Amino acid sequence: MKKTINSLKIPVVFLLLVSAFIACDKDYSVIESDVLGDENSDFTTGDSLWSVTAYNKKLDSLQINNLGTTSISATAGNLLGVFNDPSYGLTTASIVSQLVPSTFSPEFDENPVVDSVVLNIPYYNTVVSYDEDNNPEYRLDSLFGDNDTPIKLTIYRSNYFLRDFDPNNPENVSQKYYSNGSSTENSALNGTSVIKFDDHIDNISNPIYSNAAFKPSNLATITTVGDGDDEVATKSGPALRKLLDNDYWKSVIIDKEGDPVLSSQSNFKNYFRGLYFKAEANTNDGSMLLLNIAATAANITMYYTSGADGSRTQETYVMNFSGNILNTFVNDYSIPLYDGDKILGDNELHLKGTEGSMAVVEIFSGKVDCDGDGILDLDAIDCFKQNYRQLDDNGDYVKDPITNRYKLKKLINEAQLVLTELDNLPTGSVEDYHTYDRIYAYDIKGNSTTLDYSIDPTTNTSDPLNSKIISLGQRNDTGVFKIRLTQHLNNILFTDSIAENTPTTIGLVLSNNVNYTDNAEILDSGDTVTTVPRASILSPRGTIIYGSTQNTDPKKRLQLKIFSSEAKD
């Protein structure tokens, strides 16, 4: 026994060195024993493939309010626009949001006159260069689709009251709203009924804003204050910035001075129930943006002048987008999404954001021929343990009396869930369309990140595309992803915690921000999948990967591959 423990010290050192090396690499490297030469090594290395079953889960009735409540700066918010995914078809996203004033019970002084009313919602952007006058030039981040094709954008005052709390829950919990993407109308579910927002528009013939050919601009926002020699212009990043009707907002706000409707947040929410940003396609194409609608700079600002003649001053009244903010989705998919075969698995796995589809992967599924007699007679998980744990003379697993951890006869150097995108996926004539896909893996039972994700040191808060590249491998040039499950499997081997907090069911979704790990509830799931990562709801993109069935090309089939080290006899 002592000889075995000593002989395992060398591979442990190598594992630490390999981990440090991998942290600087975007793909996995496995150091085989021939680095030292087989004759100079007291251990052997090898790899093995283990059974998995992967199947599709169609996603619907997903929680869609407060999707952007996160401190992560990179890409969290709400989707607005039209996106035609080349593999799946058309999705239209609209927004319903409450407004909340920054001050209550305002006094507008005498003879107030509205000078202008400005809607401002920042776009996520990056400065890519500077012109000859040192002015920044911007790229719109989180812009999906064809920005050369305009969409129709209309903003209405909504008459639907978005509740803060669920009246049907005795514990006074927050009200949740859920998607209804199979509908042909902008609608949502509140747990008991369907809300059709087109039925709750105030003065539908006179919207707050309308543009039949809207295209988001990447130009800087220029704000001018003052007149003549006192004029001062400031520049900020691109935004949805529009002038609104002065008379309308005077009647809605200034003419209500002294009215209780302006005296508190709850009164105002009941009075001015919100805005409905309705996106519509002009053709079977368009663009979609992730709006930073919960940002401090996202607001409606009313500029007004008041006071006696000769002493008039300009003031502002600001209304922020806060409280409940929700997305609606209308899907017109070109391929059917479905719940897959939980027993046999599926040939193709559909990963589609918004209200789309995800994959469920059962690792160590079914029975296997563990002793090589040609009979499938042992559960794969038990075969896995027998292969890696030490056994005593009675065939029982050996535990360390001090640590109470199982002793191993093999060490896992690396465990990878290997995924391959479908050949010849449509790209919509965009050469690098799938280059930026990221696949996020999570623990379905615990509704949490995997252990490997939690210890991955490569977090990049400003660039999610290059974040968590050890645990969530990036797509390579041939469309292969490698999801690292090394610590996940080690935890099973050492502690037998599979029955508690290390389950064998992994969820896969497409994400444009792997840093954003919050989950959204699924209404009345009736399934082991009860939540879905919010980041997948905020990504309209989709991809397709090969499944786990025997009908799939073995070279492209979804696989669990384990690289291990074992001491020589």
Side-chain angles (χ1 to χ4, degrees):
M1 183 69 67
K2 183 176 180 181
K3 179 179 179 181
T4 302
I5 294 175
N6 286 339
S7 68
L8 291 177
K9 288 182 179 178
I10 291 177
V12 169
V13 172
F14 266 89
L15 287 175
L16 294 175
L17 291 174
V18 170
S19 297
F21 177 78
I22 289 175
C24 300
D25 196 353
K26 294 184 179 180
D27 209 344
Y28 300 120
S29 300
V30 179
I31 297 181
E32 301 288 355
S33 61
D34 59 2
V35 172
L36 295 175
D38 188 63
E39 68 279 2
N40 297 318
S41 173
D42 59 355
F43 64 94
T44 61
T45 61
D47 60 76
S48 55
L49 297 177
W50 291 83
S51 60
V52 298
T53 300
Y55 57 90
N56 291 291
K57 177 171 176 58
K58 183 179 182 296
L59 295 173
D60 52 34
S61 306
L62 313 178
Q63 185 185 344
I64 50 173
N65 60 319
N66 301 326
L67 289 172
T69 52
T70 171
S71 61
I72 296 173
S73 61
T75 58
N78 292 84
L79 292 168
L80 179 68
V82 176
F83 178 67
N84 189 6
D85 184 273
S87 294
Y88 290 92
L90 205 67
T91 294
T92 303
S94 299
I95 298 174
V96 181
S97 173
Q98 291 177 318
L99 281 174
V100 177
S102 58
T103 57
F104 298 103
S105 300
E107 295 180 359
F108 297 111
D109 208 348
E110 59 181 299
N111 299 320
V113 175
V114 177
D115 301 319
S116 62
V117 181
V118 181
L119 164 71
N120 187 80
I121 303 175
Y123 299 145
Y124 286 103
N125 65 83
T126 299
V127 177
V128 293
S129 62
Y130 291 86
D131 64 19
E132 57 186 13
D133 297 322
N134 204 34
N135 295 312
E137 297 181 347
Y138 297 92
R139 179 190 70 234
L140 296 185
D141 299 329
S142 302
L143 173 66
F144 307 94
D146 180 12
N147 199 31
D148 292 330
T149 304
I151 66 169
K152 182 180 180 181
L153 176 61
T154 313
I155 304 176
Y156 298 100
R157 179 177 176 178
S158 173
N159 271 333
Y160 185 82
F161 181 65
L162 295 172
R163 298 188 296 245
D164 291 328
F165 298 99
D166 184 353
N168 298 306
N169 192 306
E171 297 182 4
N172 207 30
V173 300
S174 297
Q175 176 68 58
K176 296 176 182 177
Y177 294 93
Y178 303 89
S179 62
N180 190 31
S182 58
S183 171
T184 58
E185 302 177 82
N186 284 313
S187 59
L189 311 173
N190 62 11
T192 58
S193 60
V194 178
I195 310 155
K196 297 181 179 180
F197 291 104
D198 284 344
D199 294 343
H200 298 276
I201 293 174
D202 179 62
N203 196 358
I204 193 169
S205 63
N206 188 25
I208 288 173
Y209 171 79
S210 181
N211 188 344
F214 173 77
K215 293 194 295 184
S217 170
N218 66 342
L219 298 178
T221 300
I222 301 175
T223 305
T224 303
V225 179
D227 297 310
D229 294 338
D230 297 327
E231 183 177 285
V232 177
T234 59
K235 293 183 179 180
S236 56
L240 173 58
R241 187 175 177 87
K242 303 297 177 183
L243 286 173
L244 305 180
D245 182 72
N246 292 350
D247 292 339
Y248 175 79
W249 290 96
K250 180 181 182 298
S251 66
V252 168
I253 300 298
I254 288 182
D255 291 351
K256 294 294 183 180
E257 180 180 359
D259 194 302
V261 298
L262 304 185
S263 65
S264 68
Q265 178 172 302
S266 58
N267 285 354
F268 188 87
K269 284 181 178 179
N270 189 45
Y271 161 61
F272 195 97
R273 298 190 168 186
L275 293 180
Y276 169 27
F277 296 73
K278 183 177 181 179
E280 298 173 87
N282 289 318
T283 64
N284 198 39
D285 212 339
S287 63
M288 185 178 290
L289 269 173
L290 191 63
L291 290 182
N292 195 5
I293 194 169
T296 304
N299 55 54
I300 292 178
T301 301
M302 182 174 64
Y303 298 87
Y304 67 95
T305 304
S306 63
D309 292 342
S311 60
R312 294 177 67 79
T313 60
Q314 188 178 70
E315 305 290 343
T316 59
Y317 183 84
V318 180
M319 293 163 282
N320 299 304
F321 294 96
S322 58
N324 264 312
I325 305 174
L326 61 85
N327 257 125
T328 67
F329 301 116
V330 175
N331 298 317
D332 185 13
Y333 290 144
S334 55
I335 63 173
L337 299 181
Y338 56 88
D339 287 331
D341 191 326
K342 295 183 179 181
I343 306 300
L344 299 178
D346 292 327
N347 296 327
E348 296 179 357
L349 301 176
H350 299 138
L351 307 184
K352 173 68 173 72
T354 60
E355 190 188 72
S357 178
M358 64 175 288
V360 178
V361 182
E362 301 280 358
I363 59 176
F364 302 119
S365 60
K367 294 187 178 296
V368 296
D369 174 16
C370 198
D371 55 12
D373 64 359
I375 301 174
L376 305 179
D377 55 0
L378 189 65
D379 288 338
I381 185 64
D382 293 325
C383 182
F384 170 64
K385 294 176 184 178
Q386 288 185 17
N387 268 268
Y388 282 84
R389 288 179 180 171
Q390 289 185 23
L391 299 172
D392 61 20
D393 294 338
N394 296 321
D396 296 323
Y397 298 130
V398 179
K399 271 190 174 183
D400 185 301
I402 299 176
T403 65
N404 202 36
R405 289 155 65 95
Y406 289 104
K407 293 184 177 182
L408 304 184
K409 59 186 177 183
K410 286 185 182 181
L411 291 180
I412 296 178
N413 301 339
E414 186 76 34
Q416 306 168 352
L417 201 60
V418 183
L419 320 170
T420 305
E421 278 185 322
L422 220 61
D423 292 330
N424 302 316
L425 276 177
T427 64
S429 301
V430 178
E431 184 177 352
D432 60 351
Y433 181 82
H434 289 286
T435 301
Y436 306 104
D437 292 344
R438 291 298 303 274
I439 293 178
Y440 176 76
Y442 73 107
D443 168 4
I444 284 178
K445 182 177 180 181
N447 292 318
S448 61
T449 64
T450 64
L451 289 172
D452 293 84
Y453 180 101
S454 65
I455 63 172
D456 189 338
T458 62
T459 302
N460 188 328
T461 57
S462 62
D463 183 10
L465 178 65
N466 292 302
S467 188
K468 297 295 183 181
I469 60 175
I470 294 177
S471 57
L472 304 175
Q474 295 171 302
R475 180 188 188 275
N476 70 14
D477 293 338
T478 60
V480 174
F481 299 83
K482 295 177 181 178
I483 307 298
R484 194 179 197 225
L485 296 178
T486 307
Q487 296 306 318
H488 198 80
L489 300 193
N490 275 331
N491 206 46
I492 293 175
L493 289 176
F494 280 119
T495 66
D496 215 6
S497 60
I498 185 171
E500 300 170 6
N501 61 356
T502 312
T504 56
T505 306
I506 302 295
L508 302 177
V509 297
L510 203 68
S511 170
N512 60 10
N513 183 5
V514 297
N515 295 328
Y516 188 17
T517 62
D518 289 358
N519 292 317
E521 182 181 311
I522 300 175
L523 176 64
D524 299 331
S525 167
D527 193 279
T528 55
V529 182
T530 58
T531 69
V532 64
R534 287 183 176 179
S536 70
I537 302 176
L538 295 174
S539 175
R541 294 168 63 87
T543 191
I544 304 173
I545 60 178
Y546 286 100
S548 62
T549 65
Q550 296 302 307
N551 297 329
T552 308
D553 182 346
K555 294 181 180 180
K556 299 173 182 178
R557 185 183 302 157
L558 191 151
Q559 300 174 333
L560 175 61
K561 193 170 188 177
I562 301 177
F563 300 89
S564 58
S565 299
E566 183 175 12
K568 291 181 179 178
D569 294 332

